[in-house]
Amino acid sequence: MAGYSILIPEFLLVVGALLALFAELLPGGDRGAAWLGAILTLAAALVAVLPATANAQPFGGLIVLDGPARFARVVVLLLGAAWMLWTAGRGEGRVREAVSLAMFSLVGCMLMAEARELITLLVSVELATIPAYVLIGYRRGDTKSLEAAIKYFLMSILTTLVMLYGFSFVYGLSGSTRYDSIDLTRAGALGVVAVMLALVGMFAKLTAAPFHYWAPDAYAGSSPWTVAFVSTVPKVAGAVAMVRFVSAVSASAATTGIVLAVVAGVSMLLGNLAALTQTDMRRLMAYSGVAHSGYLLIGVAALSRLGFVAAVAYSMAYAFPSMAIMLIAAEEGPQLSDFNGLAQRRPATAWGLVLLLLSLVGVPPMIGFFGKLNLLLAGQRAGLITLVVIAVVMSVVSAGYYMRIVRAMFFAEAPSSARGQKPSFVAAFAFAMCVAITLVAGLAAGSVYGSIGAFLH
């Protein structure tokens, strides 16, 4: 029974996902479903932080609730709650299925972060990803949205198959799918191939270069509202999953660190340079996500405890600001020019966006600064000096395209046909929640890193 009790947060989400499908029976209809989802997600977050569930290893150790898993649980639940609150405040039309799909995806993300076995990891990855296919193409009347969903689906299926192929090699070579039993020390080149194939799927989930090319087109064809969820929540769980897998195989696959370092460098360079010329906020944030995956991979490539902790923590530093920015894009419009004059129309929102953008650049006291600082420290201690230099230079470059948003908000004149919708209190609260977490997490960075606790072997 103890094994089941620690899954109360997942159980709450599944109940909410099923109830949301019957929104016509709920007060408020579709918005009622979003409210119900937000309340149950917040309740799940409260349960997830209870000390009684710490360090449990139910089901024979197939999943574990250690520091990183609890951290990822709370972060994805808070992200999900913010997204559903915004949906309750601003969602128009039929959103019940979107709420239900998001809650199922949250369950998959939580299990992904908890998995300590390859089959459990694969199932949870698919549970987190399949609802995202539908969310990307949620507006069925929009052909661009459907095209984006097909691109996302095909790319995701392809990389998942490659990852599964790698998992089969790992099992064949080590005789086990459990992380604590994987041993590739005698596998030679075949062991390296197995790890590389497995990492391909994880790189694609994190939109790391060169497996990122589906993201800008898929996001640009979708609604910013759904991009806000799809581009952030799975990445937090994906970061934890990658760190667990790499920590399990790094000792027996010496080239893992080299491959991770190359992918990190390429992601930082390509993501930041490509974002400089974007005028569509969805494409800009897609390339920004590629760049931040590169920063995150510095910590993974360091193959050290400090690096692993820094990578997990940085996923939060990226996720909250990116979600908040896309939610505002959903209100104001997806083009950069739609942000023109936002400071005159909505000064509090504009200043909130400034804080979020400064965090993404890496300016103190935001969590983005401490996230990058720890990643760079891990890289320096691991001798990845070239990566550290690239990260510092590219952080300066990133200020170029983030400050274009600030310039549009404060110095560009709003067009007479500005399409911004009237702010909703609940949607504004969801945005403020993301800003507050970004700021408070920076001020309490020591506690954030401490909450991750004792990490992987």
Side-chain angles (χ1 to χ4, degrees):
M1 187 62 192
Y4 292 102
S5 65
I6 66 166
L7 295 179
I8 289 176
E10 286 85 349
F11 176 75
L12 290 173
L13 292 181
V14 171
V15 171
L18 295 176
L19 290 177
L21 294 174
F22 301 94
E24 66 273 13
L25 303 178
L26 300 172
D30 281 78
R31 288 199 175 189
W35 273 111
L36 176 67
I39 292 170
L40 287 178
T41 304
L42 285 172
L46 290 174
V47 175
V49 298
L50 291 178
T53 63
N55 298 317
Q57 297 188 32
F59 310 114
L62 296 181
I63 61 174
V64 62
L65 287 178
D66 57 3
R70 295 180 66 207
F71 175 81
R73 263 182 154 192
V74 175
V75 171
V76 299
L77 286 170
L78 290 177
L79 286 166
W83 187 81
M84 279 180 266
L85 280 173
W86 187 92
T87 302
R90 301 298 295 262
E92 298 176 354
R94 191 181 177 101
V95 297
R96 67 187 68 175
E97 289 88 356
V99 171
S100 179
L101 289 165
M103 298 187 81
F104 278 123
S105 182
L106 286 173
V107 174
C109 289
M110 293 164 68
L111 293 175
M112 196 193 312
E114 299 160 5
R116 296 200 67 177
E117 190 265 344
L118 294 178
I119 297 175
T120 306
L121 174 63
L122 181 66
V123 173
S124 59
V125 166
E126 291 310 296
L127 180 56
T129 308
I130 290 174
Y133 304 151
V134 186
L135 286 174
I136 286 289
Y138 193 70
R139 303 300 182 193
R140 291 181 297 173
D142 187 345
T143 55
K144 290 184 178 179
S145 179
L146 296 178
E147 179 185 351
I150 291 174
K151 287 179 179 177
Y152 184 29
F153 172 74
L154 293 177
M155 178 62 190
S156 184
I157 288 295
L158 176 63
T159 54
T160 299
L161 288 175
V162 175
M163 182 171 68
L164 179 59
Y165 198 45
F167 285 175
S168 69
F169 272 48
V170 171
Y171 173 70
L173 294 169
S174 63
S176 176
T177 58
R178 299 174 67 103
Y179 288 170
D180 54 5
S181 300
I182 292 176
D183 183 5
L184 302 176
T185 51
R186 299 180 180 178
L190 199 54
V192 175
V193 172
V195 173
M196 295 306 108
L197 290 174
L199 286 178
V200 165
M202 297 184 186
F203 288 146
K205 305 303 179 190
L206 290 174
T207 65
F211 306 100
H212 69 286
Y213 50 85
W214 59 272
D217 289 343
Y219 292 174
S222 185
S223 165
W225 164 61
T226 56
V227 173
F229 184 91
V230 173
S231 65
T232 56
V233 178
K235 277 194 175 183
V236 176
V240 178
M242 170 167 275
V243 164
R244 288 196 193 283
F245 178 76
V246 170
S247 67
V249 302
S250 59
S252 50
T255 56
T256 302
I258 299 173
V259 173
L260 288 166
V262 171
V263 173
V266 173
S267 298
M268 288 186 289
L269 289 168
L270 193 149
N272 281 303
L273 295 178
L276 282 171
T277 59
Q278 303 303 320
T279 57
D280 186 307
M281 288 296 294
R282 295 164 296 186
R283 295 183 69 87
L284 188 152
M285 293 307 294
Y287 282 114
S288 167
V290 175
H292 285 282
S293 293
Y295 298 134
L296 185 150
L297 287 175
I298 295 176
V300 186
L303 301 179
S304 65
R305 181 179 180 278
L306 173 62
F308 292 154
V309 172
V312 172
Y314 192 74
S315 64
M316 181 188 77
Y318 160 77
F320 281 103
S322 297
M323 172 174 278
I325 291 169
M326 290 314 301
L327 290 180
I328 297 303
E331 297 173 1
E332 295 296 325
Q335 300 299 318
L336 179 60
S337 58
D338 292 324
F339 282 61
N340 288 354
L342 184 66
Q344 286 77 46
R345 300 194 302 275
R346 302 170 59 183
T349 301
W351 281 109
L353 283 172
V354 169
L355 294 178
L356 297 172
L357 293 168
L358 291 177
S359 182
L360 289 174
V361 173
V363 175
M366 304 299 176
I367 187 61
F369 167 76
F370 295 102
K372 284 186 178 178
L373 181 65
N374 281 279
L375 288 171
L376 297 179
L377 185 60
Q380 183 269 330
R381 289 184 179 178
L384 304 173
I385 304 303
T386 303
L387 276 186
V388 171
V389 172
I390 292 175
V392 172
V393 173
M394 287 299 106
S395 292
V396 176
V397 171
S398 72
Y401 57 83
Y402 289 135
M403 290 306 109
R404 288 174 62 204
I405 303 174
V406 176
R407 177 182 177 278
M409 293 190 297
F410 287 88
F411 302 108
E413 186 174 348
S416 57
S417 58
R419 53 174 290 186
Q421 304 172 19
K422 184 179 180 181
S424 152
F425 174 78
V426 179
F429 177 80
F431 174 76
M433 178 178 163
C434 293
V435 176
I437 290 174
T438 302
L439 180 59
V440 172
L443 296 175
S447 299
V448 170
Y449 283 84
S451 70
I452 300 177
F455 206 62
L456 306 174
H457 53 276

